Amino acid sequence: MSDIELVSATKSFGGWLKRYKHRSQVLNCEMIFAIYLPPAADENDVPLLWWLSGLTCTDENFMQKAGAQRTAAELGLAMVCPDTSPRGTDLPGEHDSYDFGSGAGFYVNATRAPWSQHYRMYDYVTDELPALLRDHFPLNGREAISGHSMGGHGALICALKNPGRYTSVSAFAPISHPMQCPWGEKALNGYLGDDQESWKAWDACELIKANGSSLALMVDQGNADNFYTDGQLQPEALSAACEEAGVPITLRMQPGYDHSYFFIASFIDDHLKYHFHHLTQ
C-alpha cells in the first residue's frame, strides 16, 4: 500500500480539512485527495461520505464551495473527495477538451488505448483509495456516496455495481443516461470503444433496468440548469427506469436552480442528513 503525504491541513468547524498526495498503482500516476475529519474523529471512528465531483473539477471544488463542513462537523461525518481524473500523464489529446480526458475521467475503467494505461477511475474510487483510507484514518467502515453531474453519474454507478457496499446514494444533477447524451457518448466511446453493449455497464439507467437496486435513490435537479434543458442529464429517464424496475426514487425538481455550486450549497445539508440517517441505522 502506497504511503500518503500531507499537502495541507486547515481547521474547520472544530475538525480538519486535509489534502494528501500519493502514488496510485491503479492509475499509474500521482494523485491528490481531500478528506474532512469532524471533531468526533479525534475520539472515535466515524462514518464516511464519498463525494464525486463533476467535469473540470478537482478534489477542491466541493470542499471550498459546498459549505458542507458545518453540518458534517455537527453530525460527526467524515467526507472524502477524490480527483476527477488521473493527472500528469499527458496522453495525446488529453487536455484538448473539457469533457474528455483531463478532469473528465467519468468514473469508468477505460479499455481503449492509450486511456487504459491510466484512466481506471472506477477501480480507484471503489478499491484503491478506500483501502488507503482504511489504513490511515479513523473510519468505522460505514460508507455512503454522492456526487454532482459527472460525479452524480459516478455515485450512481458505484452504488448500483456494488450492492451492499454503501448505506445510501444521492446525486445532484447527475448524468443519468450517458449512453443517450453527448457528454456520455463522447466519453464512453473514447474510453471503451464503439461497442455500445459494453457501455451499459457504466449507465445508471441500464444498470437499474438489468439489476434493479437494493438502495433507494435521492436526486436533486434544478429546472433552470442549462445542461438539463440541453438533454445532457435526463433525470426523467432515470425516474422511468426506477419505476419500471420497482426501485424507489426521490427526484426533487428545484425551481429556478442551475448547475452551479450555489445549487449544491442550497441543498447539501439535506443530503448530509439523509446519508447520516442511513449510516447510523
Side-chain angles (χ1 to χ4, degrees):
M1 184 58 64
S2 61
D3 291 328
I4 60 175
E5 180 181 338
L6 183 66
V7 175
S8 64
T10 306
K11 197 74 177 279
S12 179
F13 296 101
W16 286 95
L17 170 58
K18 297 184 177 184
R19 300 181 74 220
Y20 291 89
K21 64 181 178 180
H22 72 108
R23 179 75 188 181
S24 167
Q25 302 304 312
V26 167
L27 305 179
N28 193 24
C29 66
E30 188 173 87
M31 294 294 285
I32 291 179
F33 66 90
I35 186 167
Y36 178 72
L37 296 168
D42 291 342
E43 303 292 337
N44 300 292
D45 291 348
V46 295
L48 177 68
L49 174 66
W50 288 83
W51 176 269
L52 304 184
S53 294
L55 290 167
T56 76
C57 291
T58 70
D59 65 286
E60 294 185 285
N61 294 73
F62 175 81
M63 291 298 192
Q64 293 182 2
K65 296 180 179 180
Q69 288 90 344
R70 181 192 295 273
T71 297
E74 293 172 353
L75 295 173
L77 177 62
M79 303 181 295
V80 65
C81 296
D83 205 343
T84 53
S85 77
R87 301 289 176 175
T89 55
D90 292 324
L91 299 172
E94 186 177 19
H95 312 306
D96 290 353
S97 60
Y98 80 96
D99 56 355
F100 185 80
S102 182
F106 260 82
Y107 305 101
V108 304
N109 285 339
T111 56
R112 190 177 192 179
W115 311 102
S116 56
Q117 301 172 49
H118 300 283
Y119 277 69
R120 300 182 63 82
M121 288 299 295
Y122 173 78
D123 280 353
Y124 179 68
V125 301
T126 62
D127 185 18
E128 185 180 32
L129 188 54
L132 198 65
L133 298 180
R134 287 193 294 269
D135 282 351
H136 289 280
F137 300 103
L139 305 172
N140 68 9
R142 303 276 286 174
E143 301 179 16
I145 192 164
S146 187
H148 171 231
S149 194
M150 178 187 73
H153 145 78
L156 292 174
I157 63 170
C158 286
L160 293 168
K161 290 166 75 69
N162 294 278
R165 168 71 178 275
Y166 307 97
T167 64
S168 46
V169 58
S170 72
F172 289 80
I175 302 173
S176 299
H177 200 5
M179 291 184 65
Q180 299 294 329
C181 77
W183 278 343
E185 291 171 7
K186 180 177 181 177
L188 296 176
N189 183 71
Y191 294 131
L192 305 176
D194 56 11
D195 176 14
Q196 295 195 11
E197 193 64 26
S198 70
W199 298 5
K200 292 182 178 180
W202 308 103
D203 184 301
C205 289
E206 297 299 327
L207 288 169
I208 289 170
K209 290 175 186 176
N211 304 312
S213 173
S214 59
L215 297 177
L217 278 58
M218 177 178 174
V219 174
D220 272 329
Q221 173 64 61
N223 72 357
D225 183 333
N226 59 307
F227 299 118
Y228 165 62
T229 56
D230 286 350
Q232 295 278 21
L233 306 177
Q234 302 187 39
E236 292 87 357
L238 182 65
S239 182
C242 286
E243 182 176 356
E244 181 181 336
V247 175
I249 182 171
T250 300
L251 173 58
R252 307 194 307 184
M253 298 300 298
Q254 303 292 2
Y257 284 90
D258 61 14
H259 200 70
S260 73
Y261 265 84
F262 295 107
F263 163 54
I264 295 169
S266 298
F267 301 103
I268 190 62
D269 283 359
D270 291 350
H271 287 246
L272 296 180
K273 292 172 183 176
Y274 171 79
H275 289 298
F276 189 74
H277 169 76
H278 288 283
L279 284 162
T280 54
Q281 292 302 298

